[in-house]
Coordinates of all heavy atoms in Angstrom, one line a residue:
Chain A
I27 N 0.1 20.3 -7.5 CA 0.9 21.3 -6.8 C 0.4 22.7 -7.0 O 0.3 23.5 -6.1 CB 2.4 21.1 -7.2 CG1 2.9 19.8 -6.7 CG2 3.2 22.3 -6.7 CD1 4.3 19.5 -7.3
R28 N 0.1 23.0 -8.3 CA -0.3 24.4 -8.6 C -1.7 24.7 -8.0 O -2.0 25.9 -7.8 CB -0.2 24.7 -10.1 CG 1.1 24.9 -10.6 CD 1.8 25.9 -9.7 NE 3.2 25.5 -9.3 CZ 4.3 25.8 -9.9 NH1 4.3 26.6 -10.9 NH2 5.4 25.3 -9.5
A29 N -2.5 23.7 -7.9 CA -3.9 23.9 -7.4 C -4.0 24.3 -6.0 O -4.9 24.8 -5.5 CB -4.8 22.7 -7.7
A30 N -2.9 23.9 -5.2 CA -3.0 24.1 -3.8 C -2.9 25.5 -3.4 O -2.1 26.3 -4.0 CB -1.8 23.4 -3.1
P31 N -3.8 25.9 -2.5 CA -3.7 27.3 -2.1 C -2.5 27.5 -1.2 O -2.2 26.7 -0.4 CB -5.0 27.5 -1.3 CG -5.4 26.1 -0.9 CD -4.9 25.2 -1.9
G32 N -1.8 28.6 -1.4 CA -0.7 28.9 -0.6 C 0.6 28.4 -1.2 O 0.6 27.2 -1.7
G33 N 1.6 29.2 -1.3 CA 2.9 28.7 -1.9 C 3.8 28.1 -0.8 O 3.5 28.1 0.4
P34 N 4.9 27.6 -1.2 CA 5.8 26.9 -0.3 C 6.5 27.9 0.7 O 7.0 27.5 1.7 CB 6.9 26.3 -1.2 CG 6.7 27.0 -2.5 CD 5.3 27.4 -2.6
F35 N 6.5 29.2 0.3 CA 7.1 30.2 1.2 C 6.2 30.8 2.2 O 6.6 31.7 3.0 CB 7.8 31.2 0.4 CG 8.9 30.7 -0.5 CD1 8.6 30.7 -1.9 CD2 10.0 30.0 0.0 CE1 9.6 30.1 -2.8 CE2 10.9 29.5 -0.9 CZ 10.7 29.5 -2.3
D36 N 4.9 30.4 2.2 CA 3.9 31.1 3.0 C 4.1 30.9 4.5 O 3.7 31.7 5.3 CB 2.5 30.7 2.6 CG 2.1 31.3 1.3 OD1 2.9 32.0 0.7 OD2 0.9 31.1 0.8
A37 N 4.7 29.7 4.9 CA 4.8 29.4 6.3 C 5.8 30.3 6.9 O 5.8 30.6 8.1 CB 5.2 28.0 6.5
N38 N 6.8 30.9 6.1 CA 7.8 31.8 6.7 C 7.2 33.1 7.0 O 6.0 33.4 6.6 CB 8.9 32.0 5.7 CG 9.5 30.7 5.3 OD1 9.2 29.7 5.9 ND2 10.4 30.7 4.2
R39 N 7.9 34.0 7.7 CA 7.5 35.3 7.9 C 7.3 36.0 6.6 O 8.0 35.8 5.7 CB 8.5 36.0 8.8 CG 8.0 37.3 9.5 CD 8.9 37.5 10.7 NE 10.4 37.2 10.4 CZ 11.2 38.2 9.9 NH1 10.7 39.4 9.6 NH2 12.4 37.9 9.6
D40 N 6.2 36.9 6.5 CA 5.9 37.5 5.2 C 7.1 38.4 4.8 O 7.5 39.3 5.5 CB 4.7 38.4 5.4 CG 3.6 38.0 4.4 OD1 3.9 36.9 3.7 OD2 2.6 38.6 4.4
P41 N 7.7 38.2 3.7 CA 8.8 39.0 3.2 C 8.3 40.3 2.6 O 7.1 40.4 2.2 CB 9.5 38.2 2.2 CG 8.4 37.3 1.6 CD 7.4 37.1 2.7
P42 N 9.1 41.4 2.6 CA 8.7 42.6 1.9 C 8.3 42.3 0.4 O 8.8 41.3 -0.1 CB 9.9 43.5 1.9 CG 10.8 42.9 3.0 CD 10.4 41.5 3.1
A43 N 7.5 43.1 -0.2 CA 6.9 42.8 -1.5 C 8.0 42.6 -2.5 O 7.9 41.6 -3.4 CB 5.9 43.9 -1.9
D44 N 9.0 43.4 -2.5 CA 10.0 43.3 -3.6 C 10.9 42.0 -3.4 O 11.3 41.4 -4.4 CB 10.9 44.5 -3.7 CG 11.3 45.1 -2.4 OD1 10.7 44.6 -1.4 OD2 12.2 45.9 -2.4
V45 N 11.1 41.7 -2.1 CA 11.8 40.4 -1.9 C 11.0 39.2 -2.4 O 11.5 38.3 -3.1 CB 12.1 40.2 -0.4 CG1 12.7 38.9 -0.1 CG2 13.0 41.3 0.1
K46 N 9.7 39.3 -2.1 CA 8.8 38.2 -2.6 C 8.9 38.1 -4.1 O 9.0 37.0 -4.6 CB 7.4 38.5 -2.1 CG 6.5 37.3 -2.2 CD 5.2 37.5 -1.5 CE 4.3 36.3 -1.6 NZ 3.1 36.4 -0.9
R47 N 8.8 39.3 -4.7 CA 8.9 39.3 -6.2 C 10.2 38.7 -6.7 O 10.2 37.9 -7.6 CB 8.7 40.7 -6.7 CG 7.4 41.0 -7.3 CD 7.4 42.2 -8.2 NE 8.0 43.4 -7.7 CZ 7.4 44.2 -6.8 NH1 6.2 43.9 -6.4 NH2 8.0 45.2 -6.3
A48 N 11.3 39.0 -6.0 CA 12.6 38.5 -6.4 C 12.6 36.9 -6.2 O 13.1 36.2 -7.1 CB 13.7 39.1 -5.5
I49 N 12.1 36.4 -5.1 CA 12.0 35.0 -4.9 C 11.2 34.3 -6.0 O 11.6 33.3 -6.6 CB 11.4 34.7 -3.5 CG1 12.3 35.1 -2.4 CG2 11.1 33.2 -3.4 CD1 11.7 34.8 -1.0
E50 N 10.0 34.9 -6.3 CA 9.2 34.3 -7.3 C 9.9 34.3 -8.7 O 9.7 33.4 -9.5 CB 7.9 35.0 -7.4 CG 7.0 34.7 -6.2 CD 5.6 35.3 -6.2 OE1 5.5 36.3 -7.0 OE2 4.7 34.8 -5.5

Side-chain angles (χ1 to χ4, degrees):
Chain A
I27 290 173
R28 283 309 131 99
F35 302 110
D36 285 4
N38 303 352
R39 199 155 41 88
D40 237 6
D44 44 345
V45 174
K46 195 170 178 177
R47 257 200 307 284
I49 291 179
E50 285 181 344

